[in-house]
RNA sequence: GCGCCCAUAGCUCAAUUGGAUAGAGUGCCUGACUACGGAUCAGGAGGUUGGGGGUUCGACUCCUCCUGGGCGCGCCA
């Protein structure tokens, strides 16, 4: 749909570049007008050229129109139905295209024949792209904020993959720092206390119930082996075990949430392999490190950052930033063409320094992108639940999944732009009612599935996909609702392209709600399975089209498409 | 104090990267089941896009100032 209009404009512009004395063609943007009366797709190219050509946009549009008419009146090279019903200039200089019904039916047929492959693109051209997300400290269970990051990251990876990128999903484990040690201390103290040795609890220790669970596990495995022994004596082993358990629980949470990673990268391992030093050496070789006040600094202010950053402290220890330098260099060394980091919004201050690192290692600016995930406020009985990881008062992702299910949870996380606050009302999410938009979409899918069951059971139609296609005459589709529904289906590739370009999965969420809405309205107003076999087959085919797109979209979001509910 | 993000219908949020008359859901009001799944559908009310100024053919979108919120600003991780 976009392609046809784009082609004709492009060809017309080619004929005009000489008279306009232009070297190159401008980017031609196409958009779907809000109002159906303004046609099916519109180009703003005349307005955009106005500044450049110093001419009124309408005048430019008229010149383009004249050229278009010339092309269209030329004898058609290919056979087939007429594509354009009308093309007209409107408003300040829009060129509006209205397609013929025959064209829409032909496009629907293509969708039915090619199915999902038509809904994907090759924008990425096989480029390797890495998406790092969740990357939680293994010092406690995942909370709801991690869940949002996981849902967005997962959907984004699905989008990029469908857009032709070679995607790698990675979880970075911050296991090298003091936080993990603090977990070990906390578990050590709880373990002692549990067995009657009243040691004080670490000042900044983790207070969550899970620390006691870990201590109990420890006792199950090792009995009283660590009792009455100081942290200095046995802390290493305890920390290691506690860390393993946390990591396993995180991995199983992700698995049950339906989010899988290709790779888990340990920070500690990077240190162990000497890669941190190597990364710093590489910066040194570029003359980007210097010593001051007994510490080693990175000249990040030469790039995007407002000041230089310490990478090696006075005491000789590396900073966390040094690990990050190393990690991002490692990503580049692994041959990725582009890198996406998904972080909590509270880390936004780190963007300039990481950007600096990647620039220092010669990654072009536009090949790195940070998606910020804004905070989630959990509401229970309409009241925000305060959360603190240290104090141990927080709702875990596990609890939410168990309570409302992974599909709904994921979907709700994807109903907002990533970078805006999200209220997660757990009572609404639990209600399996109309208030819950997931059901609205899934219900449309289940309804269509039910139609096909009905058709197979009650009638003699063979609705097996290929046979349905062969027997169907789509020209039976004449109702306004049917044409609107077809148009909506054909919008999907544009919505998808937009989502991929901007890395915004929520666009697909909104689209699916609109599509489901049109379907429900159509279904309510028109009977699908009627006594008229030709009409029934055509309508079932349209439903099949809706089903294909719903399935594709839900799949991208990581939400299931149930045949029955 | 400096920097980043946000402010849109009563509430929660969209708005095709600067496009035409700013849209959904929910809530409220009114209607539709002898129905292929009513977990649905139709209609109504609801707005000076926080405020002022600017940029241009055109601004919710970009610039600037103000107001009000969130988050950052460590040789912590």
């Amino acid at each position: 749909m976009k392609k046809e209009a784009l082609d004709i404009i492009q060809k017309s512009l080619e004929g005009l570049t000489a008279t306009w004395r232009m070297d190159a063609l401008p980017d031609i943007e196409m958009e779907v007008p809000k109002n159906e009366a303004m046609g099916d797709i519109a180009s703003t190219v005349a307005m955009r050229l106005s500044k450049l050509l110093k001419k009124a946009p309408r005048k430019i549009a008229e010149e383009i129109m004249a050229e278009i008419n010339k092309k269209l009146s030329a004898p058609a090279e290919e056979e087939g139905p007429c594509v354009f019903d009308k093309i007209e200039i409107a408003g300040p200089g829009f060129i509006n295209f209205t397609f013929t019904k025959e064209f829409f039916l032909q496009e629907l047929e293509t969708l039915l024949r090619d199915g999902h492959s038509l809904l994907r693109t090759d924008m990425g051209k096989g480029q390797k792209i890495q998406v790092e997300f969740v990357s939680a400290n293994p010092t406690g269970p995942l909370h709801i904020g991690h869940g949002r990051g996981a849902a967005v990251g997962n959907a984004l990876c699905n989008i990029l993959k469908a857009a032709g990128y070679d995607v790698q999903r990675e979880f970075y484990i911050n296991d090298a720092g003091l936080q993990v040690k603090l977990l070990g201390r906390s578990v050590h103290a709880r373990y002692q206390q549990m067995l009657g040795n009243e040691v004080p609890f670490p000042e900044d220790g983790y207070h969550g119930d899970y620390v006691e669970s870990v201590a109990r596990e420890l006792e199950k495995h090792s009995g009283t082996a660590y009792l009455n022994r100081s942290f200095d004596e046995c802390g290493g082993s305890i920390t290691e075990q506690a860390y393993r358990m946390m990591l396993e629980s995180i991995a199983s949470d992700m698995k049950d949430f339906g989010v899988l990673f290709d790779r888990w990268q340990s920070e500690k391992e990077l240190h162990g392999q000497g890669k941190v030093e190597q990364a710093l050496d590489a910066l040194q070789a570029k003359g980007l490190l210097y010593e001051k006040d007994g510490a080693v600094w990175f000249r990040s202010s030469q790039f995007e950052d407002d000041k230089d950053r310490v990478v090696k402290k006075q005491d000789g220890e590396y900073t966390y930033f040094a690990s990050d330098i190393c990690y991002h260099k490692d990503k580049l060394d692994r041959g990725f063409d582009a890198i996406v980091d998904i972080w909590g919004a509270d880390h936004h201050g780190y963007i300039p320094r990481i950007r600096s690192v990647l620039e220092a290692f010669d990654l072009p600016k536009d090949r790195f992108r940070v998606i910020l995930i804004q905070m989630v406020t959990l509401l229970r009985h309409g009241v925000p639940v305060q959360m603190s990881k240290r104090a141990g008062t927080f709702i875990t992702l596990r609890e939410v999944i168990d309570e409302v299910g992974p599909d709904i949870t994921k979907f709700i996380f994807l109903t907002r732009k990533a970078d805006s606050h999200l209220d997660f009302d757990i009572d609404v999410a639990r209600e399996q009612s109309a208030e819950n938009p997931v059901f609205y979409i899934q219900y449309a899918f289940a309804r269509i599935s039910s139609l096909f069951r009905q058709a197979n059971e009650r009638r003699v139609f063979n609705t097996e996909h290929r046979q349905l296609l062969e027997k169907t005459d789509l020209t039976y589709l004449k109702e306004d609702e049917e044409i609107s529904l077809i148009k909506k289906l054909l919008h999907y590739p544009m919505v998808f392209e937009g989502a991929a370009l901007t890395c915004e999965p929520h666009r697909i969420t909104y689209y699916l709600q609109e599509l489901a809405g049109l379907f429900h309205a159509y279904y309510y107003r028109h009977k699908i399975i009627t006594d008229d076999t030709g009409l029934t087959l055509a309508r079932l085919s349209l439903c099949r089209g809706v089903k294909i797109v719903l399935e594709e979209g839900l799949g991208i979001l990581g939400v299931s498409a149930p045949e029955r509910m």
Side-chain angles (χ1 to χ4, degrees):
Chain A
M1 180 165 159
K2 186 177 169 181
K3 186 179 157 288
E4 285 75 13
L6 202 59
D7 275 358
I8 189 103
I9 286 196
Q10 215 144 24
K11 279 179 193 155
S12 305
L13 284 178
E14 276 164 16
L16 287 164
T17 43
T19 51
W20 288 343
R21 294 184 192 161
M22 285 177 57
D23 303 333
L25 287 177
D27 282 343
I28 305 164
E29 285 172 31
M30 305 297 291
E31 58 190 38
V32 178
K34 290 174 197 169
N35 192 332
E36 262 187 81
M38 296 164 180
D40 298 314
I41 196 158
S43 171
T44 58
V45 70
M47 278 114 79
R48 286 175 200 284
L49 281 172
S50 143
K51 230 171 283 176
L52 203 69
L53 299 173
K54 298 189 174 136
K55 269 192 208 178
R58 266 197 97 97
K59 180 88 177 66
I60 299 171
E62 278 161 22
E63 289 180 43
I64 296 172
M65 265 307 282
E67 202 67 23
I68 288 174
N69 284 330
K70 252 191 263 172
K71 306 276 179 219
L72 288 181
S73 59
E77 292 163 24
E78 328 157 12
E79 301 214 354
C82 191
V83 173
F84 300 110
D85 185 30
K86 61 182 176 190
I87 304 173
E88 50 193 8
I89 300 170
F94 288 97
I95 302 174
N96 294 340
F97 295 83
T98 305
F99 295 92
T100 59
K101 203 190 117 186
E102 291 70 33
F103 173 73
F104 284 126
L105 295 182
Q106 187 189 302
E107 291 288 284
L108 173 61
E109 202 182 320
T110 309
L111 169 68
L112 293 170
R113 191 176 308 116
D114 296 352
H116 295 274
S117 65
L118 189 82
L119 303 174
R120 298 169 192 176
T121 74
D122 191 33
M123 206 167 85
K125 299 188 173 65
Q127 286 181 82
K128 282 184 74 180
I129 188 166
Q130 194 223 36
V131 181
E132 177 215 327
F133 57 112
V134 187
S135 298
N137 282 342
T139 55
L142 296 176
H143 56 68
I144 194 164
H146 294 127
R148 187 177 187 187
V152 172
N154 184 49
L156 180 58
C157 288
N158 291 341
I159 288 172
L160 292 173
K161 191 175 174 208
Y165 288 92
D166 179 6
V167 185
Q168 191 191 44
R169 305 153 182 251
E170 187 155 308
F171 189 116
Y172 182 55
I173 314 163
N174 291 132
D175 53 3
L178 292 169
Q179 301 303 319
V180 170
K181 200 167 181 185
L182 193 57
L183 170 73
R185 284 189 183 280
S186 305
V187 170
H188 173 262
R190 283 284 178 257
Y191 172 89
Q192 300 297 335
Q193 291 169 354
M194 208 173 67
L195 296 171
N197 175 16
E198 284 304 321
V199 298
F201 195 73
E203 200 175 327
D204 298 321
Y206 294 101
H207 286 84
D209 294 341
Y210 68 90
V211 176
E212 287 176 46
S213 310
V214 173
R216 267 196 296 279
E217 275 299 300
L218 198 63
E219 195 230 334
K220 221 196 284 177
H221 291 304
S222 310
T224 56
Y226 304 113
L227 185 60
N228 295 322
R229 292 175 69 189
S230 72
F231 185 76
D232 289 341
E233 285 177 73
C234 60
S237 169
I238 288 180
T239 303
E240 179 65 22
Q241 290 182 63
Y243 157 77
R244 286 284 154 217
M245 284 182 220
M246 286 290 91
L247 201 58
E248 271 166 33
S249 100
I250 287 172
S252 82
D253 284 358
M254 285 289 93
K255 185 165 173 263
D256 293 345
F257 193 41
V259 174
L260 298 176
F261 292 88
D262 299 312
R263 197 161 174 280
W264 298 67
Q265 174 63 53
S266 151
E267 180 190 354
K268 206 159 66 181
E269 207 175 283
L270 291 174
H271 277 96
Q273 293 165 341
K275 286 188 175 172
V276 176
E277 277 176 78
Q278 287 166 26
L280 294 182
D281 287 347
L283 286 180
Q284 179 77 270
K286 289 171 181 280
L288 293 170
L289 296 186
Y290 65 93
E291 278 191 42
K292 194 182 88 180
D293 304 332
V296 180
W297 299 68
F298 168 53
R299 291 187 199 278
S300 48
S301 64
Q302 273 195 10
F303 304 93
E304 311 258 327
D305 212 351
D306 52 356
K307 57 179 175 184
D308 293 343
R309 305 288 170 180
V310 170
V311 294
K312 197 172 190 178
K313 299 185 271 182
Q314 276 183 334
D315 62 10
E317 295 279 314
Y318 293 113
T319 60
Y320 178 80
F321 180 48
S323 304
D324 265 351
I325 292 173
C326 165
Y327 180 40
H328 284 85
K329 179 179 186 296
D330 193 58
K331 293 185 188 190
L332 296 179
D333 291 345
R334 282 191 264 148
F336 291 105
D337 301 301
I339 289 171
V340 178
D341 283 2
I342 299 184
W343 299 344
D346 54 340
H347 288 77
H348 69 260
Y350 286 77
I351 297 175
R353 71 186 71 169
I354 295 299
R355 212 169 255 296
S356 301
V357 170
L358 291 168
E359 267 183 57
F361 288 122
D362 305 317
L363 184 77
K365 277 184 196 182
D366 60 334
R367 320 249 70 184
F368 173 61
R369 188 167 207 151
V370 178
I371 311 290
L372 294 176
I373 304 291
Q374 197 47 264
M375 292 229 299
V376 179
T377 306
L378 196 94
L379 300 174
R380 202 183 268 285
H381 314 306
V383 182
V385 181
Q386 292 303 323
M387 289 195 257
S388 158
K389 195 171 178 183
R390 282 287 167 73
T393 55
F394 59 90
I395 307 290
T396 62
L397 177 62
R398 167 65 60 186
E399 288 171 89
V400 176
I401 298 174
D402 288 347
E403 200 166 338
V404 309
D407 274 349
I408 299 168
T409 306
K410 268 188 274 199
F411 190 90
I412 290 175
F413 284 143
L414 294 168
T415 52
R416 305 267 177 276
K417 223 176 346 190
D419 191 22
S420 59
H421 288 269
L422 171 67
D423 282 343
F424 193 111
D425 190 321
I426 203 155
D427 300 309
V428 172
R430 286 183 61 159
E431 248 178 77
Q432 309 213 339
S433 73
E435 272 191 279
N436 215 323
V438 196
F439 290 109
Y440 189 76
I441 298 168
Q442 289 183 324
Y443 183 53
F445 187 86
R447 238 181 186 176
I448 295 170
S449 306
S450 169
L451 282 172
F452 279 91
R453 284 194 295 271
Q454 290 284 338
N456 281 326
E457 282 163 20
R458 292 207 203 159
R459 312 275 171 157
V460 285
F461 307 147
N462 185 339
T463 55
E464 189 268 321
H465 190 83
R466 198 168 41 78
Q467 294 208 22
L468 178 64
L469 196 60
E470 278 165 15
K471 283 190 219 150
T472 301
D473 176 5
L474 291 176
T475 58
Y476 278 97
L477 300 175
K478 292 189 171 100
E479 304 290 342
D480 289 347
E481 288 87 352
E482 291 168 336
I483 303 302
S484 299
L485 205 44
I486 294 171
K487 285 183 190 176
K488 193 75 188 173
L489 292 176
L490 301 181
H491 288 168
Y492 178 85
M494 285 182 270
V495 173
F496 171 70
E497 191 187 354
L501 232 45
T502 55
C503 294
E504 292 180 348
H506 76 277
R507 292 176 183 231
I508 292 175
T509 313
Y510 279 90
Y511 169 84
L512 291 178
Q513 293 186 61
E514 288 162 14
L515 175 60
L518 284 182
F519 171 73
H520 285 309
Y522 170 56
Y523 173 91
Y524 190 84
R525 202 167 283 178
H526 302 285
K527 203 155 175 156
I528 310 298
I529 300 172
T530 64
D531 294 333
D532 182 338
T533 307
L535 183 64
T536 301
L537 287 174
R539 289 185 170 173
L540 280 172
S541 292
L542 175 55
C543 289
R544 174 86 77 191
V546 175
K547 198 178 173 192
I548 289 170
V549 175
L550 286 177
E551 188 173 42
E552 174 73 14
L554 286 172
I556 294 270
L557 299 182
V559 175
S560 67
E563 299 272 331
R564 286 189 167 91
M565 292 174 71

